[in-house]
Amino acid sequence: SIYFKCSTKVLEHGVDYPQTQIDRLERLLAEEDSSISPLQREKLSQRLYIWKRFQEPITVSSDALWNFMGRLALNLLSVLGMAILVPLILFARDNYDDEEAETETAKEEIEGEVQLQEQPGTESTEEENREEGEELGSPSPNVAKKLFLS
């Protein structure tokens, strides 16, 4: 935009640059016999107005400055919060479904083992009981009976 161009010119050439541009534009607009079209005159008038705005000093009260800084801080915190929360929401894992599926699978396995133990004809031999006891770290059922009875 033209405001940005004017501000960069002021930064490049110094504080007196707006006055030199105002003088130059006023001379161009003052010449009645020049070959400037009405459209170009309008554009030059707009640029003259903008340069006059850059020449006028502005005063800012401390209350207005604090108000601006407060709003700037709130905006920055909002953007930072959104930058943190949006990825967390978008990329969060939904562990509830996985945990429920694992729980259901474990329950089904336990129920299946209980049903196998309750079915007739699935009695295990002493050797199998001993192997299971050794795997679990507990004594075999026969050893447990002997310890219990003695």
Side-chain angles (χ1 to χ4, degrees):
S1 89
I2 194 162
Y3 286 97
F4 181 73
K5 289 179 184 177
C6 291
S7 64
T8 55
K9 293 286 185 179
V10 170
L11 290 174
E12 288 175 11
H13 299 286
V15 181
D16 297 331
Y17 189 72
Q19 184 59 47
T20 58
Q21 289 299 311
I22 290 170
D23 293 340
R24 185 182 70 81
L25 291 172
E26 285 177 344
R27 277 194 315 266
L28 286 172
L29 290 171
E31 297 175 4
E32 293 293 329
D33 59 342
S34 67
S35 61
I36 298 175
S37 70
L39 182 61
Q40 288 176 335
R41 279 192 181 278
E42 183 63 32
K43 286 183 181 181
L44 290 175
S45 296
Q46 289 175 355
R47 288 178 61 194
L48 178 64
Y49 174 78
I50 292 169
W51 280 115
K52 284 183 179 179
R53 298 295 297 172
F54 272 94
Q55 186 185 21
E56 297 172 4
I58 57 170
T59 57
V60 178
S61 67
S62 63
D63 291 338
L65 183 62
W66 279 106
N67 188 14
F68 170 76
M69 295 300 283
R71 289 180 184 210
L72 180 65
L74 285 174
N75 284 329
L76 290 175
L77 287 174
S78 315
V79 169
L80 182 65
M82 294 299 285
I84 292 171
L85 289 177
V86 168
L88 285 176
I89 291 170
L90 290 177
F91 301 116
R93 287 189 51 199
D94 190 13
N95 292 336
Y96 300 111
D97 294 337
D98 296 340
E99 290 174 2
E100 288 176 9
E102 288 175 8
T103 305
E104 289 297 322
T105 306
K107 284 181 183 177
E108 290 171 1
E109 288 176 1
I110 291 172
E111 289 172 0
E113 289 176 6
V114 168
Q115 288 174 357
L116 282 177
Q117 290 176 358
E118 292 175 357
Q119 290 178 355
T122 58
E123 299 168 2
S124 58
T125 63
E126 287 184 33
E127 189 174 306
E128 289 175 356
N129 287 340
R130 197 173 316 119
E131 288 174 3
E132 284 181 22
E134 289 172 1
E135 288 176 6
L136 298 175
S138 61
S140 68
N142 291 334
V143 173
K145 285 180 188 176
K146 289 178 183 175
L147 290 174
F148 182 72
L149 293 175
S150 58

